Amino acid sequence: MSGDRAPLMAQPLRPPSAGRAAALLGLLVLGALVGVAGALVQPAWFPGGLLLALAGEAGTVLGAARLTRSRSGGIAVAAGWMIMVVLLTVSRPEGDFLFAAGSGSYLFLLGGIAVAVICATFGPGRQPDGDPARLRK
């Protein structure tokens, strides 16, 4: 630990700056767009479209986590994806719906949630400043 400063993990969380909040809001919208694109692609070419949709989601979530250098970017994209996909599953009063009751739709929904959670946790968490601790130092 460094002298008079408290370690990073002991400091309280601060709200994000305005620029970071705007970036996270943009990533939330990007996640929603990826969700719409995946919902339209996955039924078109069943095995390939499903894999393409899930790979696009995974790349976007991982890219956002790396871009923001924290898990919050990946979580923002994953949240936007989940909100949009859940909104697309609701049937309209006219009886129209986007997802059919088939295995591909369920694989997209459940697989997409699993991919979002897994990829969002790959981002770096809060790390303390200072020298890295090593055994037998």
Side-chain angles (χ1 to χ4, degrees):
M1 289 189 223
S2 57
D4 58 344
R5 278 188 67 208
L8 181 65
M9 300 301 278
Q11 296 175 0
L13 291 174
R14 295 183 314 257
S17 65
R20 187 165 183 85
L24 292 176
L25 183 63
L27 289 172
L28 184 87
V29 171
L30 178 66
L33 292 174
V34 169
V36 169
L40 296 175
V41 167
Q42 66 90 15
W45 309 290
F46 172 59
L50 176 65
L51 294 175
L52 181 65
L54 293 178
E57 179 198 4
T60 308
V61 172
L62 283 174
R66 298 276 168 102
L67 179 71
T68 58
R69 294 188 188 114
S70 70
R71 292 183 184 135
S72 61
I75 291 170
V77 171
W81 184 90
M82 287 183 197
I83 290 169
M84 185 53 67
V85 169
V86 167
L87 288 176
L88 291 174
T89 59
V90 176
S91 63
R92 297 179 27 189
E94 295 87 19
D96 299 336
F97 56 90
L98 190 62
F99 290 106
S103 62
S105 297
Y106 292 122
L107 285 173
F108 177 67
L109 293 172
L110 298 176
I113 291 171
V115 165
V117 169
I118 290 168
C119 292
T121 58
F122 279 145
R126 293 178 57 179
Q127 296 294 323
D129 293 333
D131 296 331
R134 295 187 320 221
L135 296 174
R136 297 180 191 234
K137 188 172 175 182

